Amino acid sequence: GGSCVVKKVMDLQDNSVYAAKTCKTQDSRSLKKEAKILKMLCHPNIVSSHGIFDSLSGVVYDHLSRI
């Protein structure tokens, strides 16, 4: 298992504001699966994923919808 936190973040290149989901986990497969599904969906009430990556410390980051 793992724990996740969603925070408001800004892209410093274009000042776009996003929600970012940060998760500490030993197994990132389920989070990558969630991001893959979110990329396929297109609905105004469902957040979309703009990218996911693992850090060396075991934290998984996912950029979600623009705010």
Side-chain angles (χ1 to χ4, degrees):
S3 59
C4 298
V5 177
V6 177
K7 293 184 178 181
K8 184 177 176 180
V9 296
M10 181 184 289
D11 184 333
L12 297 177
Q13 292 180 342
D14 64 5
N15 293 329
S16 296
V17 179
Y18 293 89
K21 184 177 181 180
T22 306
C23 301
K24 261 192 171 175
T25 181
Q26 299 298 320
D27 180 15
S28 64
R29 286 179 286 158
S30 63
L31 295 170
K32 288 179 181 178
K33 183 177 178 181
E34 176 184 341
K36 184 178 178 180
I37 291 169
L38 287 173
K39 282 185 179 188
M40 293 186 297
L41 299 175
C42 182
H43 189 277
N45 293 333
I46 299 175
V47 297
S48 57
S49 177
H50 294 280
I52 186 169
F53 66 93
D54 294 315
S55 73
L56 296 175
S57 63
V59 177
V60 178
Y61 299 92
D62 187 7
H63 279 91
L64 302 172
S65 293
R66 282 187 178 186
I67 297 176

